[in-house]
Amino acid sequence: MEPAIILVRPQMGENIGAAARAMLNFGLTDMRLVAPRDGWPNPKAVAMASGAAGRVLDQARVYPTLAEAMADIDYAYATTARGRELTKPVLTPATAMADARERTSQGERIAMIFGPERAGLENDDVARANAIITVPVNPDFPSLNLAQAVLLTGYEWSRDSLPAQPAPQGRRPDGEATATRIEIEKLADHWEERLDEAGFFFPTEKAPAMKLTLRNLWSRMPLTRADTRIFHGMLRQLIRRD
């Protein structure tokens, strides 16, 4: 069961929308809003959520008080950068979310609580939580915006289910397919042949090392199929001009 993300007295619709995007990045959809300053629904939140994250806002529930938003919660973490006189466990996002995953596996319902943008959670809010999450950031500038804080905890919550490395991309962001190994080999052969004819590999005893260096250069370049066509075309045009 996924944790609930509770935003207490959020002030700007744009920040609520950005938090929704951060949530959906890591598969979180249970957003709860406590007394949003500008009311609800908020068109600025929808505009910022952009696309699929809008469904997080569509499902968001609004409560007048934090106590009501937490009615079904067994264990809650309050996020704050400020020191508190309250005696509670203080955890990093990584430690807190490891604990949260363990509690969830035992059937507990978990929530992460985030305060309003300007001043964060009040002591009365923090008192309702079981533990505190504090991000170990630069002590001279410890402030995080709302979406950043949600993103950090969302990432730590999901990290065990994320791949160890990003998945290889078959296409570039612009949609162009990555060149295949054979296409790069043919490109390397084409250039080597023409450079050899032009006397580029000189002196003779250094030719093997030069060819190896050039072959390595082609293989490590992240070329698309369009790139290989351009390089072939450049070389053909140079030869025609000769």
Side-chain angles (χ1 to χ4, degrees), residues 130-152:
N130 303 91
I132 290 172
I133 296 176
T134 295
V135 182
V137 295
N138 178 4
D140 295 328
F141 190 68
S143 177
L144 295 174
N145 69 37
L146 181 58
Q148 287 174 327
V150 173
L151 187 73
L152 277 172

Side-chain angles (χ1 to χ4, degrees), residues 10-25:
Q11 297 169 324
M12 297 179 63
E14 293 90 340
N15 290 334
I16 298 172
R21 294 177 67 165
M23 287 174 61
L24 197 58
N25 282 152

Side-chain angles (χ1 to χ4, degrees), residues 3 10 25 29 65 78 86 105 127 147 152 166 182 188 198 223:
N25 282 152
T29 59
T65 67
L86 303 172
S105 71
L152 277 172
I182 296 300
L223 299 171

Side-chain angles (χ1 to χ4, degrees), residues 42-180:
N42 188 315
K44 292 182 178 179
V46 175
M48 179 59 75
S50 181
R55 68 186 178 91
V56 176
L57 301 180
D58 292 339
Q59 299 170 178
R61 288 174 281 175
V62 182
Y63 300 86
T65 67
L66 177 57
E68 290 170 277
M70 295 176 63
D72 63 337
I73 299 300
D74 300 303
Y75 199 93
Y77 306 85
T79 59
T80 177
R82 293 185 287 123
R84 304 285 182 168
E85 60 271 21
L86 303 172
T87 302
K88 291 183 184 293
V90 180
L91 310 171
T92 66
T95 304
M97 293 303 96
D99 179 63
R101 288 192 295 272
E102 177 61 26
R103 291 179 182 279
T104 300
S105 71
Q106 296 174 9
E108 293 186 47
R109 189 66 193 268
I110 302 300
M112 283 91 87
I113 306 171
F114 301 84
E117 296 91 320
R118 180 167 296 181
L121 293 169
E122 297 178 357
N123 280 348
D124 286 348
D125 303 318
V126 177
R128 296 185 181 280
N130 303 91
I132 290 172
I133 296 176
T134 295
V135 182
V137 295
N138 178 4
D140 295 328
F141 190 68
S143 177
L144 295 174
N145 69 37
L146 181 58
Q148 287 174 327
V150 173
L151 187 73
L152 277 172
T153 52
Y155 170 76
E156 293 296 348
W157 164 260
S158 302
R159 67 182 306 171
D160 281 3
S161 61
L162 298 173
Q165 295 292 336
Q169 298 297 310
R171 289 185 176 272
R172 294 292 188 81
D174 59 4
E176 175 62 40
T178 301
T180 66

